[in-house]
Amino acid sequence: MSADRYDPYDFANRRHIGPSQAEIAAMLAVVGAPDLHALVDETVPAGIRQAERIDFGRSLSERRVIEHIRTVADRNRVLVSLIGQGYHGTTMPPAIQRNIFENPAWYTAYSPYQPEISQGRLEALLNFQTLVCDLTGLDVANASLLDEATAAAEAMGMAHRVATAKADAFFVDHECLPQTIAVLRTRAAPLGWRIVVGDPFTDLDPAAVFGALFQYPGVCGDVHDFSGPIAALHAVGAIAAIAADPLALTLLKPPGEMGADIAVGSMQRYGVPMGYGGPHAAYMATRDAHKRALPGRIVGVSVDANGNRAYRLALQTREQHIRREKATSNICTSQVLLAVIASMYAVYHGPRGLKAIADRVHRDAVRLAAGLERLGFTVRPPAFFDTITVEVGPFQGVILQNALANGVNLRRVGSDRIGITVDERTRPDIVQAVWHAFGGSELAYDEGWPEPRLPQGLVRTSEYLTHPIFHMNRAESEMTRYMRRLADRDLALDRAMIPLGSCTMKLNATAEMLPISWPEFSEIHPFAPEDQAQGYRQLIDDLSEKLCAITGYDAISMQPNSGAQGEYAGLLAIRSFHLSRGEAHRTVCLIPSSAHGTNPASAQMCGMSVVVVGADADGNIDLDDFRAKAERHGANLAACMITYPSTHGVFEERVREICDIVHGHGGQVYLDGANLNALVGLARPGDIGADVSHLNLHKTFCIPHGGGGPGMGPIGVKAHLIPFLPGDPRSGEAGAVSAAPYGSASILPISWSYCLLMGGRGLTQATRVAILNANYIARRLAGAYPILYAGRNGRVAHECIVDVRPFQKSAGISVDDIAKRLIDCGFHPPTMSWPVAGTLMIEPTESETKAEIDRFCDAMLAIREEIRAIEEGSSDPRNNPLKNAPHTVQDLIGPWERPYSREAACFPAGTLGIDKYWPPVNRVDNAYGDRNLMCSCPPPEAYGEAAE
Ligand SMILES: *Cc1c(COP(=O)(O)O)cnc(C)c1O
């Protein structure tokens, strides 16, 4: 369309918005609205519409945005950071960078809740769990947490759940990372637990605690055998956890062999760049006895309908979406892509390669220490892995300055010491630059292999990574094909729409992704001096300003690493606000029954008690019930948590009234911002009456889901809550919710470039089209399926709920059957059984074209006809394409004794001919996998011959 090409407004964001002008017109005709503005007027209540347009100036072209971000990136200065403290230089192998990190087949996938279309990433995550179990010497590992500090907090929570000791204090090794101590303090306070920080060998009173956390190696380099303190803890029924560096564990005795119950840590140095704080995957492992108390996702092995091996998520009933305020944690999105990268790093290097890296790191630390000792400095500890602490008396400032001048960041320890941590990227010239800084310009790097200085008795003797997957032929041809094979098993956005209600699986534009690979963003240590991160400063400030303009809030904190962490941070701000006013008794949190499971789980973590409010027949909050409960708990009301538009996909007309009721009783309003994709440019949470929200940047603002993370869940607050935003994790004091001050800072360029590419007008247009696409689907499916919950004028918001419950009775067909049949059609199923059990929630987003949406609707309508055939008796109620879905390529060969054809089985409406997606397994048996729990790589037969 030539007109498009010359309309600068349309040109700039034409790629992000799926339907063309002509398609928009055709869709409007179907939904029965004269134009987009009229549709929005019919859908979004006038009373909540924002008064002014978002104005970010003109939208920019892709090339202009990249050029602009280039100039901002250049304001970051990449020095060598030997700061340590949980973050290390590392090299992502180029094969992994290009084939996973920069490959949409991996980064645009969703969380693996539908196992049949997720076998590739489930295998990679199973490799991750096997890696973690082997390194830690423990039995069961989960598939990643947000960062080491929150993993430590999860360990503390888990210790409290499983300990038989009934104390209310948790002991923390003074050698723990300061950011870990900070997050532990934050987490403990609302739950009424005391944090005792001290020396495990002199200060630990086992009888006074329910558990303890030790750091291995410690932040200043100490490497201790904790067997003694652990035995003492066990004697009184308390739990021992160790935060351990996974690279050190290739050389050192693992936590499991010291008797630890839990191990946690960061897998960052397994090939994931520091990224000014993230994203990276944390790990957590435990003994078999405690596996049911383990938080987070656990991948397990099961079988499919044909008895073939298949992976899927295990023990899901522990999770927030089922257990809500009784869940083991609020963890939802949790760094899957980064766990996949870490696992591939281990596959890429194998145990010998990893050990060689660790060995080289250690020898360089030894050389460095020896040189400093020759210069007359006292170096501690006497035995270490990669970290040493040098006594420098009054010369601390001078030496740090010298190091900076030589391009190296070192760590300030107290007033008279300097910490140095060696990493995979340390080279002879860096060692020499450090010596220079200490005045040793004459010292020469000796290539000879110095004697190790690992602590006696802690040298690892047990094997690890013996499974053949870590011994495959590591020629790049084989590695590339392995990554490709796994990617091909999965269905991600690069193949088909992922119409997941509430999850907003929209375009992750390539132009937005490019800058995050640049070293100016990826290679900055989160605790590097601020003058080296001026580009980040500009990015964070400008993005915060834009997000404030979009939401109507007064300030943003970028610290939370996921939506659930944002909820937690926001509720903590509310709690602190009440405390500051002497109203500690305000602990009741009203949450609608339709809320996302993370809402009640987060409230519980803040020491709040959840009171559930019902919904009326239209999917709105039952206002009478709400008012009554607010009244009943008035004096103790802390907050309500609402989602807007509601999780039912409706713009509630009376949302302002709900906010007024809560404020009238002295409570605060938390508005879950997961549905912001229906609001941007049209209405602002801050104007509606909310006090705080999280924004899922990995939903509305184009950060890819990565197969279940990374994510960013920054919170916006009104001015009165600004003093209670998350604090600086470096302080070691309560207040921080993540290990790094700006969470996963290195993925912020994605959201920022989205805003720049779209401009205010483009962002608003995206919202309108998201609403159009959802209403178009609702209209096309309405004759075949009941659409639950519409707002005024029969309009839905940006998503709609399709009711398939009647088919259980009429044809014995469940929501699962329909979801799995959609896989045969080449689609990721929509959100299943949430917020209403037995239904499907569909969210197309603005990025999907009419053609793709029609393909989806055609598939849904054809499925309806398959159901009708069962209802009418022309199809077997037990042996039909729905019950047997999904079908694999194996179903095309061998005997076929079904009453329908192979063609009907494998090529239903919507399939893309020769581009058909073939699921690698038939329907996965979840119950079998939970009965026969197996959470690390299965025995080798299937992997062929090992090849070192
Ligand atoms: C996705 C979502 C969340 C949780 O976000 P995570 O980033 O996965 O932790 C919370 N509430 C709603 C309504 C959501 O859709």
Side-chain angles (χ1 to χ4, degrees):
M1 294 215 305
S2 59
D4 281 15
R5 287 183 47 201
Y6 298 101
D7 179 353
Y9 151 61
D10 193 55
F11 180 74
N13 45 62
R14 174 67 193 86
R15 301 217 181 257
H16 180 83
I17 294 177
S20 65
Q21 294 296 345
E23 287 178 332
I24 287 174
M27 294 164 87
L28 282 165
V30 171
V31 303
D35 59 41
L36 271 178
H37 297 278
L39 175 67
V40 167
D41 289 343
E42 288 176 27
T43 308
V44 187
I48 66 147
R49 292 287 289 275
Q50 69 192 65
E52 282 170 39
R53 281 208 290 243
I54 307 173
D55 184 10
F56 298 160
R58 284 267 302 276
S59 67
L60 302 178
S61 70
E62 292 188 343
R63 209 175 112 217
R64 288 282 300 282
V65 167
I66 290 171
E67 281 166 6
H68 177 58
I69 296 192
R70 182 72 256 168
T71 65
V72 175
D74 287 342
R75 300 187 60 209
N76 288 333
R77 281 203 303 136
V78 184
L79 269 59
V80 171
S81 283
L82 304 183
I83 297 171
Q85 204 174 320
Y87 300 93
H88 308 271
T90 179
T91 299
M92 183 188 290
I96 295 177
Q97 174 169 342
R98 179 147 295 178
N99 293 294
I100 295 184
F101 183 65
E102 296 174 346
N103 180 352
W106 284 97
Y107 67 69
T108 69
Y110 180 63
S111 312
Y113 290 121
Q114 296 285 348
E116 296 84 359
I117 52 157
S118 312
Q119 290 296 301
R121 54 195 185 278
L122 286 167
E123 175 163 326
L125 292 175
L126 200 71
N127 294 348
F128 178 84
Q129 290 175 185
T130 306
L131 168 68
V132 170
C133 288
D134 280 13
L135 290 173
T136 58
L138 288 165
D139 306 318
V140 192
N142 69 14
S144 76
L145 292 170
L146 294 171
D147 59 24
E148 176 163 336
T150 55
E154 295 292 343
M156 171 173 71
M158 182 172 155
H160 193 260
R161 287 196 294 282
V162 300
T164 50
K166 283 298 158 235
D168 69 351
F170 187 75
F171 182 87
V172 182
D173 183 351
H174 60 171
E175 279 276 296
C176 278
L177 309 175
Q179 66 269 28
T180 298
I181 299 177
V183 170
L184 286 169
R185 286 189 196 280
T186 307
R187 197 68 78 88
L191 301 172
W193 303 338
R194 266 182 322 115
I195 296 289
V196 181
V197 179
D199 182 333
F201 298 94
T202 55
D203 302 333
L204 170 61
D205 173 7
V209 300
F210 61 85
L213 176 74
F214 311 117
Q215 189 89 36
Y216 183 68
V219 69
C220 288
D222 279 305
V223 185
H224 292 300
D225 187 340
F226 296 107
S227 306
I230 290 173
L233 287 161
H234 285 170
V236 295
I239 294 294
I242 294 183
D245 171 358
L247 190 62
L249 293 182
T250 62
L251 300 181
L252 296 174
K253 178 170 166 177
E257 291 173 21
M258 295 180 189
D261 304 286
I262 304 171
V264 296
S266 167
M267 296 301 291
Q268 181 263 317
R269 69 193 310 184
Y270 276 53
V272 182
M274 292 184 281
Y276 201 45
H280 327 116
Y283 75 81
M284 185 167 189
T286 190
R287 303 191 170 286
D288 194 64
H290 303 314
K291 64 188 173 216
R292 279 168 208 281
L294 193 64
R297 302 192 187 108
I298 305 173
V299 177
V301 183
S302 188
V303 293
D304 76 357
N306 281 328
N308 293 318
R309 186 171 68 209
Y311 309 114
R312 95 294 178 232
L313 296 178
L315 304 180
Q316 288 217 60
T317 48
R318 306 155 304 128
E319 292 207 57
Q320 36 73 25
H321 55 265
I322 309 263
R323 297 262 294 162
R324 305 179 77 84
E325 68 271 18
K326 297 186 192 70
T328 50
S329 106
N330 68 343
I331 285 289
C332 186
T333 289
S334 62
Q335 315 285 27
V336 164
L337 186 70
L338 302 311
V340 167
I341 291 172
S343 81
M344 283 299 175
Y345 179 89
V347 172
Y348 183 89
H349 288 296
R352 281 170 54 185
L354 292 176
K355 190 169 177 183
I357 293 168
D359 220 18
R360 205 177 64 224
V361 164
H362 177 60
R363 308 284 174 155
D364 267 336
V366 171
R367 286 192 188 95
L368 193 62
L372 294 171
E373 282 162 348
R374 231 173 306 146
L375 294 173
F377 289 97
T378 303
V379 174
R380 291 185 206 284
F384 50 81
F385 166 57
D386 64 347
T387 299
I388 55 173
T389 306
V390 193
E391 317 241 334
V392 292
F395 303 111
Q396 191 194 51
V398 179
I399 295 173
L400 289 174
Q401 271 312 317
N402 288 345
L404 272 181
N406 292 339
V408 181
N409 292 315
L410 303 177
R411 193 166 80 93
R412 184 188 298 274
V413 182
S415 58
D416 55 3
R417 283 167 295 157
I418 287 175
I420 309 172
T421 300
V422 174
D423 62 51
E424 183 191 351
R425 294 170 76 96
T426 306
R427 291 289 175 269
D429 59 317
I430 297 173
V431 174
Q432 269 175 318
V434 174
W435 284 334
H436 265 257
F438 283 82
S441 43
E442 73 288 352
L443 287 179
Y445 185 93
D446 178 358
E447 293 287 349
W449 218 216
E451 273 303 301
R453 284 167 70 166
L454 295 171
Q456 300 252 320
L458 285 179
V459 174
R460 181 161 190 155
T461 54
S462 50
E463 284 194 302
Y464 48 88
L465 304 189
T466 53
H467 194 281
I469 200 71
F470 300 105
H471 296 264
M472 65 188 261
N473 188 320
R474 283 186 287 271
E476 186 168 321
S477 49
E478 286 300 326
M479 277 300 301
T480 305
R481 289 171 198 148
Y482 181 56
M483 292 184 272
R484 170 69 189 254
R485 266 201 316 276
L486 295 192
D488 277 355
R489 291 177 198 167
D490 290 8
L491 192 76
L493 274 179
D494 62 332
R495 258 197 234 249
M497 77 186 280
I498 301 187
L500 279 159
S502 208
C503 299
T504 313
M505 298 295 291
K506 66 203 271 181
L507 174 76
N508 317 116
T510 311
E512 294 153 6
M513 298 298 296
L514 288 181
I516 67 171
S517 295
W518 298 347
E520 291 80 3
F521 288 121
S522 66
E523 287 178 14
I524 308 259
H525 192 290
F527 307 146
E530 279 182 15
D531 64 347
Q532 293 169 27
Q534 287 303 300
Y536 264 118
R537 182 78 266 149
Q538 181 179 346
L539 187 174
I540 290 166
D541 287 347
D542 192 68
L543 179 58
S544 300
E545 205 176 290
K546 288 188 161 53
L547 295 178
C548 282
I550 288 169
T551 56
Y553 286 118
D554 298 309
I556 299 277
S557 165
M558 292 290 184
Q559 206 174 99
N561 277 313
S562 71
Q565 286 302 92
E567 292 167 19
Y568 175 68
L571 290 176
L572 280 183
I574 290 175
R575 177 178 180 271
S576 304
F577 171 75
H578 290 313
L579 288 178
S580 77
R581 292 154 50 105
E583 299 196 319
H585 56 277
R586 287 194 177 272
T587 55
V588 171
C589 187
L590 299 180
I591 301 182
S593 54
S594 61
H596 196 268
T598 52
N599 288 191
S602 301
Q604 179 275 330
M605 287 166 63
C606 297
M608 294 184 180
S609 42
V610 173
V611 172
V612 178
V613 189
D616 68 15
D618 300 325
N620 293 315
I621 290 175
D622 178 342
L623 211 62
D624 293 334
D625 190 34
F626 191 88
R627 200 188 306 276
K629 285 183 172 146
E631 197 117 328
R632 177 153 1 120
H633 299 285
N636 298 322
L637 189 62
C640 75
M641 293 183 89
I642 54 172
T643 305
Y644 201 79
S646 78
T647 53
H648 290 142
V650 190
F651 285 102
E652 270 153 322
E653 300 267 347
R654 298 164 80 181
V655 62
R656 281 181 189 278
E657 215 172 314
I658 289 168
C659 296
D660 288 345
I661 293 170
V662 172
H663 288 143
H665 288 290
Q668 295 278 294
V669 176
Y670 187 98
L671 190 147
D672 181 326
N675 287 346
L676 206 68
N677 215 48
L679 292 183
V680 175
L682 302 181
R684 311 196 306 170
D687 298 344
I688 295 170
D691 301 290
V692 45
S693 293
H694 73 263
L695 285 62
N696 295 64
L697 300 191
H698 48 298
K699 295 179 180 171
T700 314
F701 293 92
C702 296
I703 290 175
H705 277 243
M712 270 294 274
I715 55 172
V717 294
K718 293 298 243 180
H720 63 282
L721 292 179
I722 292 177
F724 312 108
L725 283 171
D728 188 337
R730 284 166 290 194
S731 69
E733 296 305 322
V737 297
S738 299
Y742 307 105
S744 299
S746 67
I747 50 178
L748 290 175
I750 302 169
S751 300
W752 195 39
S753 28
Y754 173 58
C755 292
L756 295 170
L757 283 166
M758 299 293 279
R761 291 182 64 175
L763 290 172
T764 311
Q765 179 74 354
T767 311
R768 293 188 194 105
V769 176
I771 291 172
L772 171 66
N773 281 356
N775 278 285
Y776 178 75
I777 290 181
R779 186 54 61 98
R780 277 211 60 195
L781 298 185
Y785 299 91
I787 306 295
L788 286 183
Y789 311 123
R792 58 218 273 276
N793 305 313
R795 300 294 185 200
V796 298
H798 64 313
E799 58 195 7
C800 63
I801 299 180
V802 169
D803 192 0
V804 299
R805 290 171 298 187
F807 306 130
Q808 187 67 56
K809 207 174 212 156
S810 69
I813 290 300
S814 70
V815 66
D816 267 283
D817 298 329
I818 296 173
K820 304 306 180 193
R821 186 63 174 147
L822 275 168
I823 295 173
D824 281 336
C825 305
F827 288 101
H828 190 299
T831 299
M832 241 170 57
S833 287
W834 185 79
V836 184
T839 65
L840 293 169
M841 182 158 64
I842 300 167
E843 179 182 358
T845 84
E846 71 281 6
S847 315
E848 294 305 334
T849 61
K850 178 171 179 294
E852 182 70 351
I853 292 173
D854 280 336
R855 187 170 77 88
F856 175 75
C857 290
D858 292 346
M860 286 294 289
L861 295 174
I863 288 173
R864 178 66 188 92
E865 292 313 312
E866 289 180 345
I867 297 170
R868 203 181 309 283
I870 304 169
E871 289 169 340
E872 291 171 351
S874 57
S875 178
D876 186 317
R878 271 172 300 277
N879 191 1
N880 59 58
L882 284 137
K883 281 286 167 213
N884 295 326
H887 300 82
T888 65
V889 75
Q890 297 299 325
D891 290 323
L892 286 183
I893 54 173
W896 181 261
E897 282 149 14
R898 296 195 178 156
Y900 55 96
S901 72
R902 295 185 207 251
E903 190 174 9
C906 297
F907 294 94
T911 36
L912 290 168
I914 56 167
D915 297 318
K916 176 181 164 63
Y917 166 74
W918 290 101
V921 293
N922 294 99
R923 197 172 309 184
V924 176
D925 185 337
N926 282 317
Y928 176 91
D930 275 356
R931 274 197 313 276
N932 307 280
L933 195 65
M934 179 175 193
C935 302
S936 52
C937 292
E941 316 82 88
Y943 292 89
E945 218 166 297
E948 198 36 66

